[in-house]
Amino acid sequence: NALRLAARTTGGGGIDVITSNGTLTVDSVNGVNGVSASGSGTVTLSGASSTTDGLVIGAFRTVTSSTGNITLTGTATGANGTGINIGCNGSISTAGDVELNGTSSANNRPSNDVFAGIRLSGGSVNATNISLRALATDTTADVLGYLGGNGRLIATGTLDAQAESKGAGVGFY
């Protein structure tokens, strides 16, 4: 089922959360905003949904680790949805590495929205190395692999980005 998550660790603990059939949304819960691992703690978040977005980083929410790696995986398996949706001013940040894996099987493009494997709308990803894999799997739909409207990917080391649309959409937009 769907899950709203806000979490933080101290001393280097890691955070691993998976939803198998419901959106995982990074939000604000009980005064904790976003997800933060201190020290070398890693963050692994994975969300899958058959009805909407797989993993959502809410507007103005953050996923951070001091030096640990961050892995985000989002899968939208239904007719509607984006794999990973990073909202306006959402932020992913670490001195370690970030891996983003987003897949959408949406089979339509509504007039007021766009679905994609990964959508980074006005947010940012900052890391030493960034690996991005974005895929729209439907062979007939105008769905995008990666939508980066005002989004920023900032790697001090390497940026390895691959995006593909199997249908009428484009890989990178």
Side-chain angles (χ1 to χ4, degrees), residues 3-59:
L3 173 68
R4 283 182 51 225
L5 173 70
R8 67 176 166 236
T9 66
T10 57
I15 299 170
D16 299 307
V17 179
I18 297 172
T19 64
S20 59
N21 190 24
T23 301
L24 173 56
T25 302
V26 173
D27 206 349
S28 177
V29 179
N30 296 329
V32 176
N33 294 306
V35 173
S36 178
S38 64
S40 61
T42 61
V43 176
T44 303
L45 304 177
S46 179
S49 175
S50 60
T51 58
T52 187
D53 298 344
L55 174 63
V56 175
I57 310 302

Side-chain angles (χ1 to χ4, degrees), residues 63-151:
V63 176
T64 63
S65 177
S66 299
T67 59
N69 295 337
I70 297 172
T71 302
L72 305 179
T73 303
T75 307
T77 61
N80 300 297
T82 289
I84 298 175
N85 192 345
I86 302 172
C88 177
N89 290 315
S91 173
I92 314 302
S93 180
T94 183
D97 298 337
V98 170
E99 183 179 331
L100 304 170
N101 298 295
T103 302
S104 174
S105 62
N107 63 8
N108 67 93
R109 185 170 180 176
S111 62
N112 62 345
D113 202 358
V114 177
F115 299 127
I118 297 175
R119 183 175 184 165
L120 180 60
S121 300
S124 65
V125 178
N126 295 277
T128 300
N129 301 302
I130 299 172
S131 171
L132 179 144
R133 302 290 179 267
L135 177 63
T137 61
D138 191 89
T139 59
T140 61
D142 185 12
V143 177
L144 306 173
Y146 170 81
L147 172 61
N150 293 318

